[in-house]
Amino acid sequence: MTSTTVSTIPNYKRGWRHALRAGMATSCLVSALVAGLAGTADAADKIKIAQSIPTLNNPWYASFAKGSKDMAAALGVDLTLVTNPASTPFAPSAQINAIENLIARQPKVIQIDPTSTDGINTAIEEARNQGIKVVTDGINVSTDVDASVIADNKQGGELAGAYVAKALSGGGSVAMLQGPPGRDIITMRHDGFRQGLSANPQAKIVASQNADLDRSKGQTVTENVLEAHQDLKAIWGASDTMALGALEALKARNLAGKVLLGGFDGTPDAFQAIKDGQMSFTIDQVPYEMGATAIALSYKLATGQAPAEPHTVLETTLVDKSNVAAYLDQSADREKKTLAAVLAKYQLKAQSE
């Protein structure tokens, strides 16, 4: 059996004893205390991996977490997942607090989806100084880690830009909904999109604004852009959440399906919007595969095995009306095949085998 604890770490000083005295202990820390008091052989023998991600209130992260959980279940790992507070999901300070509390549990590995390229380095370094392996996913960080897995976001951005360039054969105005600064993968997406779009000199970016990877902000920014550029031909969001927010703004003006709309991530809502003819495309950033890979790498490190490819880059795929059915209608089968492929890649066997 694999136990998976999900909790949100509040802002308090590191150390479970202090947290208990302050009355702010999270479920994962209580579980750790109970397990320690029980002292069972099963608890002592089970491989413990902790995981810190910004949020579960986002379809991409939900799919990533499912891939992680499924891989942990296959390998018989005790996986503890924590998220940042809902009010500050992408705040580096919130994630530092979360990681420091996970360090107090002394897991074999802490697997992290970083909120910042530079902003959480101190927590990563503290974990590694205490002999805890660190595996990152999603974005790169500017300090050393033991393993990582990311998607090729530059390639994905280029695919998106090339799609828009080809679709606007006669040229036209394009708007970009950008993600927040400080995360290298967001910059890669932006740069890749511009590079791909440059294949069509007649397609011009007339607006480029930050919508914080947020659906409601995506809608608000798009409403403002449409006021200023009523002849807009295309909108690309650097995340599906922003693109889906843009879709709400387009619907309000009866422009859904008339203005080309694309996203990035590969979320179920985006796939459905493509099927319905309201979005043109998205870029699948393989969240389920990335989640499964992150735990496979963590397991290898936890069991003293050096991964042959500790720093993995996964290719992205463009999804439009020509292939979206496979993503909608075969998701369970796709996940099963993906899990098997990741196990095989890292020469691991599921406990049931």
Side-chain angles (χ1 to χ4, degrees), residues 130-174:
Q130 294 198 30
I132 300 170
K133 303 292 187 182
V134 173
V135 175
T136 57
D137 76 272
I139 75 171
N140 294 307
V141 292
S142 55
T143 191
D144 291 335
V145 298
D146 297 283
S148 65
V149 53
I150 63 170
D152 192 336
N153 285 267
K154 180 74 178 295
Q155 173 231 4
E158 290 175 0
L159 287 174
Y163 185 99
V164 175
K166 184 176 180 180
L168 300 186
S169 57
S173 300
V174 180

Side-chain angles (χ1 to χ4, degrees), residues 7 74 109 159:
S7 62
V109 180
L159 287 174

Side-chain angles (χ1 to χ4, degrees), residues 45 72 108 124 199 252 325 344:
D45 293 341
K108 289 285 188 180
I124 292 173

Side-chain angles (χ1 to χ4, degrees), residues 6-20:
V6 181
S7 62
T8 298
I9 296 292
N11 186 3
Y12 58 87
K13 293 180 181 179
R14 176 162 45 90
W16 61 265
R17 290 186 179 88
H18 179 92
L20 285 172

Side-chain angles (χ1 to χ4, degrees), residues 92-116:
S93 59
Q95 189 164 43
I96 288 173
N97 287 341
I99 294 168
E100 288 179 341
N101 280 291
L102 291 176
I103 289 171
R105 294 194 63 200
Q106 288 293 301
K108 289 285 188 180
V109 180
I110 298 179
Q111 197 282 303
I112 304 168
D113 187 293
T115 52
S116 170

Side-chain angles (χ1 to χ4, degrees), residues 51-116:
Q51 188 175 52
S52 167
I53 68 175
T55 181
L56 287 174
N57 296 323
N58 177 299
W60 190 91
Y61 285 107
S63 182
F64 172 88
K66 188 174 188 302
S68 297
K69 181 181 177 180
D70 288 353
M71 180 57 77
L75 295 172
V77 166
D78 182 350
L79 177 66
T80 296
L81 165 64
V82 299
T83 63
N84 297 335
S87 59
T88 55
F90 294 101
S93 59
Q95 189 164 43
I96 288 173
N97 287 341
I99 294 168
E100 288 179 341
N101 280 291
L102 291 176
I103 289 171
R105 294 194 63 200
Q106 288 293 301
K108 289 285 188 180
V109 180
I110 298 179
Q111 197 282 303
I112 304 168
D113 187 293
T115 52
S116 170

